[in-house]
């Protein structure tokens, strides 16, 4: 097929991309946002925008890794042996005395090793005696239970790379190198707009003929789950002036999510307004279910996602397209939901050429392996069924249905971060 | 063994519990906190403290599930057939006309079905003609692509149970039943106290003999990851009056985390202060590594966790004990980290009678199954190694080491919520 010559007024919009093609179409247009400096206490979940160096050796000196006694190993060649305790050293103390033959010092975990000592004996391998002596019962080797100076980090080492996600443990590294402030990629500003005459806002009175607007609140929660506080612009009615005013406001943000307006007639209606405001549509309709009518466009400063009006379709499209886009804007490297292999409790219908995202719950078989069971209703309008799901089971576009007991991948939703039972004794 | 008669002054403290015993000791003392009413926009991640009912039927009437035409199925027994389009109905419109034989109405997704119609034909199975007519090409059956009134929910149905976690999809259910405010279990107030003369605070100048206090910042981040903003009380030096003042402040909170003060000498020092302030210690030392010296106590209103001073031990103990406690206080039912089965890339040393938590990274083998590789340093002082881990690999206390290629369970840490590659095409 010869592509038509592209005119600037009407660039080619890709119709019927696969999910990975659509993801690439989005992600290829995104680079991380600029850096900002923030307090460490606010940094959890952000991506580092700088390399971080160690400002000291850690430990700052050789320290005891255990509660016990610092000794000269040569003193313990014959056992049991009694040594004189010359000093009690805690973490934070500096030793005052050097060990001479026949002497030892009591050391708490983290206490500096006194000079003359070359190993630690754990307190449980000793017996305290009267007159400031201790009896040693167990053989030892030099350099046991000592953490050496610089073992954890050496001054000048790169301890964190730009682009790393700030987790609790990285907060620990940053506190260790005394970074009370840290450079991170700023968060995207996200606006959410609902669209449609049939919608009743959360703060509007009940109208039996209308449909409550749930999608904008779900999208808000999906964005909040990434620690971004979005702006809810409200509901634009099917009126070109109103739609223009709302979209103009939305284009002041980094990302605009428009809920509704993607099915044939609606899209014909929303598209000219977007075009008039300088938004170039990049794709429409992706070979997936639910979520087929999703559309994506860009203006000079804004990524615009048009999400389907069906609540489950909207959520699934957010997961596949908006979520990785927001994570890339935030500077993260891991953009996609964790997936795990599961065995299928039942067959799954799907059609070759179209990826199917099936709402499923997770359980375990007797071996501890995961089993996925599709929830009863797979209607794209059924938000209740989505609320019961732990995961999205993926039937890839290359397959024509999946069979019972085969191994497939599921994307773990937020709720699946947690489980009922611990796993320490299996 | 006959237990001694317990005296109120000196209750029996359990020493050397297994991890599940210690978890039970904690969780058996916890009931969820009281309820509070909050805005839906703030409700993500909270546990519902009420049953929620549907306030309407959804859909409110029979609607088209597709863009297409509402028709009388009987009109399409012979194909192709041309019908007169009498009306365009969008979602939110009410139909004005009833279908007579030979007629159809154009319907957008979500549009109410006009009376007389009994099925929907998708727009892609039709061809528009001039003069307000449409040609139908494909056979249809009654009740195709119609969502029936009340199909998603019926007025009065219980749609959410008390105790359910508010996820993006449950936000959707709540918005659908017009709950702008919702009753949830309140969050616990959490205080964090560091303890030790050797510690240098984040805002203090560099002192080469001291150890930077990282644990309180890590604990803060671990608490923040549960959407709780804790109070950092600061560093108590090894001075009974100072420690008393700090712990008194800490006991004004629901949960007090004391970092350090759990190894033999330190514990002997902290324990009398806790006892004097009315804290009854429930356990000390758990058969686990790292984290063995962890201790737990309760006062009338406060759960007190004494966490080890080694940074990795502190994090691991938070994960096993504090995290499920906080989640139960918050009213959640799923208290524990998600675990998944993995194949071991190498053998893991552990000792029977003691659970071992091994910091590990995750990768995939060619079949898509997970493989866990322990990070190079398993030192409980090495926060950098912890920062490189995706998961805690559990060697249960019943085992004496794990062997290469065996299947074990890992607890997924926050960073493992995300991965580099999507999983839509495998």
């Amino acid at each position: 097929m010869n592509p038509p010559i592209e005119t600037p007024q009407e660039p080619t919009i890709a119709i019927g991309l696969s999910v990975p093609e659509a993801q690439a179409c989005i992600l290829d247009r995104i680079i991380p946002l600029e850096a900002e400096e923030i307090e460490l206490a606010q940094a959890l979940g952000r991506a580092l925008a700088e390399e971080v160096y160690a400002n000291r050796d850690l430990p700052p000196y050789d320290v005891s890794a255990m509660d016990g006694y610092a000794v000269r190993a040569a003193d313990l060649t014959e056992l049991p042996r009694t040594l004189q305790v010359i000093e009690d050293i805690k973490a934070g103390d500096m030793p005052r005395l050097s060990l001479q033959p026949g002497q030892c010092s009591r050391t708490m975990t983290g206490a500096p090793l006194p000079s003359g000592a070359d190993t630690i004996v754990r307190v449980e391998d000793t017996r305290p005696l009267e007159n400031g002596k201790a009896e040693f019962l167990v053989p030892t080797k030099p350099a046991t239970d000592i953490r050496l100076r610089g073992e954890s980090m050496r001054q000048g080492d790169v301890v964190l790379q730009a682009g790393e996600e700030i987790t609790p443990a990285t907060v620990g590294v940053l506190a260790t190198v005394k970074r009370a402030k840290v450079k991170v990629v700023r968060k995207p500003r996200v606006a959410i707009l609902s669209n449609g005459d049939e919608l009743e806002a959360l703060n509007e009175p009940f109208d039996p003929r209308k449909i409550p607007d749930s999608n904008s609140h779900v999208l808000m929660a999906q964005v909040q789950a990434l620690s971004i506080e979005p702006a809810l612009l409200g509901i634009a009615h099917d009126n070109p002036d109103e739609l223009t005013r709302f979209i103009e406001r939305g284009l002041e943000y980094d990302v605009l999510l428009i809920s509704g307006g993607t099915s044939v007639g609606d899209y014909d209606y929303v598209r000219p307004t977007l075009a008039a405001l300088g938004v170039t549509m990049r794709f429409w309709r992706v070979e997936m279910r639910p979520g087929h009518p999703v559309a994506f466009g860009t203006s000079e400063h804004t990524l615009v996602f048009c999400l389907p009006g069906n609540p489950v379709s909207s959520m699934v499209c957010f997961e596949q397209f908006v979520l990785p886009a927001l994570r890339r804007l935030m500077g993260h490297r891991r953009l996609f939901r964790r997936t795990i292999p599961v065995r299928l409790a039942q067959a799954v219908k799907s059609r070759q050429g179209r990826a199917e995202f099936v709402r499923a719950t997770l359980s375990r078989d007797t071996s501890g392996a995961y089993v996925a069971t599709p929830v009863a209703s797979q209607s794209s309008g059924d938000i209740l069924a989505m609320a019961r799901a732990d995961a999205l089971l993926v039937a890839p576009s290359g397959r024509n249905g999946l069979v019972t007991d085969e191994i497939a991948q599921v994307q773990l939703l937020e709720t699946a971060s947690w489980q009922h039972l611990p796993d320490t004794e299996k």
Side-chain angles (χ1 to χ4, degrees), chain A:
Chain A
M1 197 175 95
N2 292 319
I5 291 162
E6 191 174 306
T7 61
Q9 293 77 19
E10 184 70 10
T12 306
I13 180 171
I15 294 183
L17 297 182
S18 69
V19 173
E21 286 167 347
Q23 286 169 332
C25 172
I26 296 164
L27 295 175
D28 289 350
R29 291 189 161 76
I30 299 179
I31 56 168
L33 295 167
E34 63 273 24
E36 62 180 355
E37 193 170 60
I38 63 169
E39 300 284 332
L40 180 59
Q42 310 305 322
L44 184 69
R46 307 289 288 271
L48 265 178
E50 58 175 334
E51 275 189 337
V52 175
Y53 299 88
N55 69 337
R56 70 207 306 163
D57 288 349
L58 261 189
Y61 26 70
D62 298 350
V63 299
S64 175
M66 290 287 163
D67 288 349
Y69 293 91
V71 302
R72 305 159 65 99
D75 278 351
L76 301 184
T77 46
E78 287 174 30
L79 294 172
R81 174 75 197 274
T82 298
L83 300 178
Q84 183 74 35
V85 185
I86 59 168
E87 190 175 11
D88 259 37
I89 312 170
K90 292 195 301 177
D93 289 349
M94 292 313 284
R96 286 172 296 109
L97 304 172
S98 290
L99 291 196
Q100 305 303 323
Q103 297 182 337
C104 65
S105 291
R106 181 101 164 80
T107 51
M108 298 289 104
T109 303
L113 222 62
S115 73
D118 57 12
T119 196
I120 297 290
V121 177
R122 299 182 186 199
V123 68
E124 53 266 41
D125 297 336
T126 67
R127 199 162 64 89
L129 302 178
E130 293 184 353
N131 302 320
K133 289 185 160 66
E135 188 181 31
F136 292 80
L137 310 166
V138 175
T140 186
K141 284 183 292 190
T144 302
D145 286 329
I146 292 174
R147 292 183 57 223
L148 296 172
R149 175 180 177 154
E151 186 179 300
S152 291
M153 58 179 73
R154 291 193 172 277
Q155 188 174 354
D157 280 356
V158 174
V159 289
L160 296 171
Q161 308 277 353
E164 286 195 46
E165 178 157 348
I166 299 178
T167 61
T170 35
V171 166
V173 175
L174 290 162
T176 298
V177 302
K178 303 285 297 250
R179 296 297 305 269
K181 295 194 171 216
V182 59
K183 271 194 193 158
V184 300
V185 179
R186 79 162 169 87
K187 294 179 185 181
R189 290 167 298 118
V190 179
I192 297 167
L193 173 60
S194 289
N195 173 57
D197 278 345
E198 76 279 21
L199 294 180
E200 172 189 294
L202 188 58
N203 56 4
E204 281 178 346
F206 178 87
D207 179 339
R209 295 166 309 163
K210 290 200 165 182
I211 306 284
D213 169 33
S214 62
N215 285 1
S216 61
H217 301 280
V218 175
L219 290 169
M220 182 178 196
Q222 289 183 294
V223 173
Q224 287 175 326
L226 301 173
S227 298
I228 300 166
E229 199 56 44
L232 281 188
L233 301 184
I235 299 172
H237 292 95
D238 295 342
N239 161 330
D241 288 349
E242 191 170 321
L243 193 58
T244 299
R245 280 199 307 278
F246 271 107
I247 292 178
E248 269 176 341
R249 281 190 54 206
L251 294 177
E252 294 167 8
Y253 291 79
D254 299 307
V255 177
L256 171 60
L257 308 180
I258 302 178
S259 175
T262 64
S263 63
V264 181
D266 291 336
Y267 183 66
D268 289 345
Y269 179 78
V270 171
R271 184 160 57 172
T273 308
L274 286 170
L277 292 170
V279 177
T280 305
M281 295 315 291
R282 303 296 178 177
F283 68 71
W284 182 37
R285 293 185 159 179
V286 173
E287 290 305 336
M288 65 190 289
R289 199 174 83 160
H292 178 252
V294 63
F296 170 68
T298 53
S299 73
E300 200 177 349
H301 300 296
T302 307
L303 306 174
V304 180
F305 293 87
C306 299
L307 298 164
N310 272 330
V312 180
S313 310
S314 175
M315 289 193 73
V316 169
C317 287
F318 184 97
E319 288 284 324
Q320 310 313 317
F321 305 119
V322 184
L323 185 150
L326 293 176
R327 284 188 60 83
R328 176 158 286 178
L329 285 169
M330 292 176 81
H332 291 301
R333 295 168 180 167
R334 292 180 171 188
L335 304 184
F336 298 95
R337 285 264 183 220
R338 174 66 56 184
T339 59
I340 62 170
V342 297
R343 189 166 57 75
L344 299 187
Q346 60 191 66
V348 168
K349 280 187 196 166
S350 71
R351 199 187 70 189
Q352 194 148 18
R354 186 170 74 180
E356 187 95 25
F357 296 88
V358 177
R359 282 70 75 203
T361 56
L362 296 178
S363 57
R364 302 270 205 152
D365 66 18
T366 49
S367 78
Y370 276 104
V371 178
T373 307
V375 299
S377 163
Q378 294 292 329
S379 160
S380 61
D382 196 341
I383 187 77
L384 260 179
M386 183 75 182
R388 309 246 177 284
D390 294 315
L392 294 175
L393 167 63
V394 186
S397 70
R399 295 291 306 278
N400 212 337
L402 304 178
V403 300
T404 305
D405 282 338
E406 94 167 86
I407 304 298
Q409 300 290 330
V410 295
Q411 301 175 348
L412 294 176
L413 298 171
E414 270 98 1
T415 183
S417 300
W418 308 104
Q419 65 184 27
H420 284 95
L421 293 174
D423 253 299
T424 40
E425 289 306 308
K426 273 183 198 146

